[in-house]
């Protein structure tokens, strides 16, 4: 219905975490993530972006779910003195 109205929608996602004050790309291949990510601010639009992250094209719910599952497996977790299952990322 949107296509017939002249609409074209493209959706993509990225997923990062901040762990030990380092930005990590959770969708990149571990060997490909050079660890150099900067937060970039566009003053004109007010938008913030993170450099050098992998974006995945999302065409359906399954693709989005796969991306989230992949990111979830790559998160850093470690136990704390209060919680053995703690996620230490933000």
């Amino acid at each position: 219905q949107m296509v017939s109205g002249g609409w074209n929608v493209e959706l993509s996602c990225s997923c990062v975490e901040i762990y030990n004050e380092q930005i990590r790309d959770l969708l990149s291949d571990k060997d490909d993530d050079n660890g150099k990510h900067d937060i970039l601010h566009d003053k004109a639009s007010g938008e913030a972006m993170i450099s050098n992250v992998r974006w995945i094209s999302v065409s359906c719910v399954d693709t989005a779910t796969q991306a989230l599952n992949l990111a979830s497996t790559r998160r850093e977790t470690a136990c704390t003195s209060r919680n053995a299952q703690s996620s230490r990322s933000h």
Side-chain angles (χ1 to χ4, degrees):
Q1 190 176 35
M2 291 176 68
V3 172
S4 64
W7 287 79
N8 180 29
V9 177
E10 295 180 15
L11 182 64
S12 59
C13 70
S14 66
C15 192
V16 299
E17 75 174 344
I18 299 172
Y19 183 78
N20 285 338
E21 299 184 25
Q22 297 289 321
I23 299 171
R24 295 183 60 239
D25 183 355
L26 297 178
L27 296 179
S28 74
D29 294 327
K30 292 222 180 219
D31 296 335
D32 291 342
D33 189 9
N34 64 11
K36 180 65 175 148
H37 304 286
D38 295 311
I39 300 173
L40 309 171
H41 298 277
D42 184 330
K43 292 180 182 179
S45 68
E47 293 181 11
M49 295 288 293
I50 298 174
S51 66
N52 301 318
V53 295
R54 179 178 178 204
W55 287 87
I56 294 177
S57 178
V58 177
S59 57
C60 63
V61 172
D62 288 339
T63 305
T65 302
Q66 289 172 0
L68 290 173
N69 288 338
L70 175 62
S72 180
T73 64
R74 294 186 173 168
R75 291 178 60 231
E76 288 288 337
T77 57
C79 63
T80 66
S81 61
R82 300 209 184 257
N83 184 347
Q85 301 279 325
S86 176
S87 168
R88 307 275 298 181
S89 61
H90 303 280

